Amino acid sequence: MSNSNFMWRAGIWTMLVWAATAAAPPAFAQTENIQEVVVTGSRIAAPNLTSTSPVQVVSSKEIQQSGRTDVVEILNSLPQVIQNSQVDFSNTSNSLSTPGGITTVNLRGIGPQRTLVLVDGRRLGSADANTGNPNPSANLDQIPMTLVERVDVVTGGASAVYGSDAIAGVVNFIMKKNFEGFAIDAQYGVYQRDNDNSFIRGLAEPRGIPLKGSTTDGDTFTVSLTAGANIADDRGNVTGYLTFRSAEPITGADIDFAGCQLSLNSDGTPRCAGSANSNRFTLAGTQYAVVGDQFIPWSVNNTTTPPPEFNSNPYVNMYRDNERYMGGFMAHIRLNDYFEPYAEFGFMNDRTRVDIAPSGLFENSNPYNGSGFYSVNCSNPLLSAQQRSILCTPAQIAADLASPGSSSVDINIGRRNVEGGPRIAEFEHDNYRAVIGARGNLGDAWNYDAYGQYYYTSLFNSNTNYLNFAAIADALQVTGTADNPTCISGSATCVPFNIFRDGGVTPDQLATLYTDGTAYGTVTQKIAHADVTGDLGAYGLQLPTAETGIGINVGVEYRSEDLSFKPDAAELSGNLAGFSGASVAIDDGYDVKEVFTEIRVPLIQGRTGIYDLMVDGGYRYSDYSTAGSTDTYKLELQYAPVRDLRFRGSYQHAIRAPNIIELFNPQNYGQQSFFGVDPCARQPDGSPATRSLEDCLRTGITAAQYGNGGSTNTIPQCVSNQCGQVTGGNPNLDPEQADTYSVGVTWAPSGLSLIASLDYYDIKLTDAVGSIPGAFLFTQCIDTGNPEFCSQIVRTSAGALTGASVATGGYILQTGVNIGEVTLKGIDAQASYTLSLGDRFGGLAFALNGSYIIAAENTPLPENDQSYDCVGLFGTICQTITPEWRHNLRISWETPWDLDLSLNWRFIQGTDLDTNQSDPDLASGFDEFNSHLPSVSYFDLSALWRLGTGTTFRAGINNIFDKDPPLISTEVSGTGGPNTYPTYDTLGRQAFLGISQQF
């Protein structure tokens, strides 16, 4: 969106806020029920500190101090969350990803589909209908930040309590309830960076790549209105909210270290590179570029228009252009002790626009030619005499003159549409969530909760400024004269495409080559739930050594999930150049019927040395229409020798049923960034293959194709550092299985303002749904020749690992199977401590959240006993960074003057490149440049100032020192990214200023 539109909307909302403030009713206080808490991970009420499962809590105050107005930015800053640009979505997602416009959370780094997201203990449905998204999960955009009381993050399986998907854990948003009065919250934020990265500037400036100096951009504006009132003599409450959020985009052009594609020469030295799909015409292995109306030998050092390599990094999405509207209400009324009806409704409209590097003629990608090349007729009048003589023999030219189109030559063309501007992807999501239920007592010992939940989301996606392969093929077959060319087809919509001379491409030509693609999809979830909880102590069911009775919960649940995705004919055809293949349609679903129970048995209480000893158990039986029946269960133990000290341990068996995409998605060809350069072909800088002929023969090439830099050099290199892949569903998938063990201790000494916890977790995932990681698969094939791996590599007839469709080949097979195993082990540490400084100076509050990873083992093929551990590593196999230690440490000075000052230290330990390790399942040569990413510390400063009138001001700066992230080359980070990983701060320092007014 434009700056003018942004400022206009911001102004309108500001005036609405002012008007609402002026007309606000008399002030009321917000009331909160803190008498009883049902802890995330259980349906039986308990105080927070007696939770058996490890729980990390993010309070509403911490959210305010962070200055973040988007849920995903809060969660991605937690040490327990590992962001992976290949599978996760955020405000900084890779713009080359076909899906978009959503945000997800990935606990422990094993995929967002293995993290269950709840709102007040109720499942939040999957929010993306795009079949290009293999890991559909809840969209965090629909969470209204101003109503969040706290966020509970639970480690480990919780399927016995909540059902499928809780493999890595649960993120539960606890919302504010019983709000009284009227509140307005508004915040403005902006990013600023110095852009003084001398390393990247030293590479870019000699190549004439312009980089910006100090910049200020990424303006965000958020305003929320919340109104609530108690009703029926305080026996009920109605709370409603409206929220608007707008964010201006940031691209790679705005950030110096992202301004060019960092790549490595064959000798391992770095350079600013780009895509060869710019100005390259390859015939029989010889590469040419167009200068004037002549072919000259192609070289990265040429001065041509378009350039020899196209720098797509200025188009890299660093922060998405986003506009969001949300509204809803929560209501309940206690008619009597036995019946309290309640209702919730939420709506969100979210719009995202992403600009992508221009379309073009991409090498090896033409679906209308089995080789992926482009056919040009030999008498084409747009060719100069020199070009014609290089492409065709005199006999071919003569034959084509006699019968236009009868004699053509196939050319592998990479020609960027620099005249036409960027491709544009727009995503619009509409979300509706409605809950109607009732709760109450059933006598003195029992209570119930029953509800129905309806969740619906729609997606409209448009993709514009894409050239059409069919139109290109037509426009390259030309007859007539240079001054009056015509298409051989005679089509009234065809204008000859002149890519053979500088300035030859005109708007009239492009107008006939463009085709827009659109898609519409919906996701629907329906839940019917009922459970009862009882205190059996009322019936005397209590151990004589205990002070409280046995607690039990029993319930049933029915859930249905449906997904429909309907791309238009253009997207289904695969005609859009640069769209990573054809989209696929789907219209399918499943349902599941479940019964569950949970029991808590106090064993010994109130004895010397045994203040509290209790055991919890849980079981859930699930019957899926697709995956059949399965069961989950848990066993937990708590022991407190004294009130201040509590030990806890648990075992949980969890499952994840395969989702609709994994089950029913048709096979689809596309491109990916996890494996971008074929080591058996000539390298992007023109140097020979980096692996030997003997090695490369194992991957399916012939000796005549091998990229030796001389006589045999015919294998086309992958398009824009993106080799091909084929993905697809499998209706025979079984549920994933996971076993989680945890042991922990909490300490809250009564004489100190201290709460500390330490928890060890061990998660073993088996029958993981997925594919063998492509980079690992290729490495195993080329190193060993193992047919289990090599059979998954399908080259084209020309030997390429990039193609145009499933039929033509040119891909690494990535379809879903139950095959992998993952083992995660680690320790989470939390502590909060308040130190009094006396009445004159208030106090200091310390809060630590740290995560130490012991093991992150992946076993792609368990029967081969091959596994690798990604702790402390990053790279193409481990995919993202997995630091051994990561923490957030916040120190706050809570002054007696209603002013809180806070300093937050975020630390990410350094990591090493996976392929440099001695482990034979990882090792693949040595890369000196990318060998290590150093430890990084970020410091955030914020202030909260509370006035007596109900007004709170907040301000702060995140990443106050404008710390740049450590950089890596595209060969490791993947195409479409900013030469680093999204775990780091990539946008510079963020300043924010907000105000909250409550009446």
Side-chain angles (χ1 to χ4, degrees), residues 18 32 195 276 312 355 386 434-435 672 698 712 727 746 796 968:
W18 177 85
E32 298 179 3
N195 279 338
S312 60
D355 288 0
Q386 183 255 10
V435 180
Q672 45 70 35
R698 298 168 183 155
T712 63
T727 59
T746 60
T796 67
I968 50 175

Side-chain angles (χ1 to χ4, degrees), residues 261 273-282 287-288 298 300 307-311 361-363 412-416 683-685 717-721:
Q261 181 178 300
S275 168
N277 287 289
S278 186
N279 186 349
R280 190 160 75 179
F281 299 73
T282 305
Q287 298 173 337
Y288 301 95
W298 181 88
V300 295
E309 293 182 320
F310 183 80
N311 180 23
L361 284 72
F362 293 97
E363 295 178 325
N412 196 12
I413 302 176
R415 208 286 185 179
R416 188 71 60 162
Q683 298 303 285
D685 64 354
Q717 188 51 264
C718 294
V719 176
S720 299
N721 290 100

Side-chain angles (χ1 to χ4, degrees), residues 65-86:
Q65 289 173 323
S66 73
R68 316 289 187 184
T69 58
D70 224 0
V71 169
V72 68
E73 296 172 2
I74 297 290
L75 294 179
N76 281 341
S77 68
L78 297 179
Q80 292 76 23
V81 175
I82 296 179
Q83 193 176 358
N84 186 335
S85 60
Q86 293 186 24

Side-chain angles (χ1 to χ4, degrees), residues 171-393:
V171 176
N172 189 12
F173 293 92
I174 308 300
M175 311 306 287
K176 296 176 182 177
K177 304 175 182 66
N178 300 316
F179 185 88
E180 282 193 275
F182 183 80
I184 306 166
D185 188 274
Q187 180 170 306
Y188 173 78
V190 66
Y191 289 93
Q192 186 276 330
R193 68 202 65 85
D194 298 332
N195 279 338
D196 56 359
N197 192 300
S198 58
F199 169 75
I200 207 74
R201 288 181 175 277
L203 298 177
E205 290 170 0
R207 295 185 62 85
I209 298 174
L211 299 177
K212 289 184 178 180
S214 177
T215 55
T216 301
D217 48 31
D219 304 57
T220 59
F221 178 73
T222 305
V223 61
S224 298
L225 309 178
T226 306
N230 284 348
I231 57 176
D233 296 326
D234 293 337
R235 290 182 291 109
N237 180 272
V238 178
T239 299
Y241 66 91
L242 291 171
T243 297
F244 168 77
R245 182 180 188 273
S246 182
E248 291 292 292
I250 304 174
T251 68
D254 302 314
I255 301 177
D256 58 356
F257 63 77
C260 77
Q261 181 178 300
L262 183 58
S263 188
L264 299 182
N265 294 310
S266 57
D267 62 359
T269 57
R271 70 184 182 101
C272 275
S275 168
N277 287 289
S278 186
N279 186 349
R280 190 160 75 179
F281 299 73
T282 305
L283 180 67
T286 302
Q287 298 173 337
Y288 301 95
V290 169
V291 174
D293 62 355
Q294 304 289 296
F295 278 147
I296 64 171
W298 181 88
S299 167
V300 295
N301 297 316
N302 287 345
T303 301
T304 60
T305 303
E309 293 182 320
F310 183 80
N311 180 23
S312 60
N313 269 47
Y315 297 91
V316 166
N317 173 58
M318 300 296 295
Y319 197 68
R320 64 173 173 155
D321 184 351
N322 181 234
E323 187 172 274
R324 187 182 312 156
Y325 299 86
M326 288 190 288
F329 70 87
M330 297 178 289
H332 65 92
I333 180 170
R334 182 170 54 85
L335 300 179
N336 52 53
D337 290 343
Y338 311 105
F339 187 58
E340 182 182 352
Y342 60 86
E344 298 177 12
F345 176 78
F347 166 77
M348 181 199 74
N349 173 267
D350 185 273
R351 302 176 186 183
T352 295
R353 168 180 165 143
V354 178
D355 288 0
I356 311 166
S359 183
L361 284 72
F362 293 97
E363 295 178 325
N364 314 297
S365 299
N366 181 11
Y368 296 97
N369 189 316
S371 66
F373 297 174
Y374 301 84
S375 183
V376 178
N377 63 302
C378 289
S379 66
N380 189 319
L382 301 179
L383 293 168
S384 68
Q386 183 255 10
Q387 291 170 330
R388 196 177 296 118
S389 67
I390 289 175
L391 298 178
C392 303
T393 65

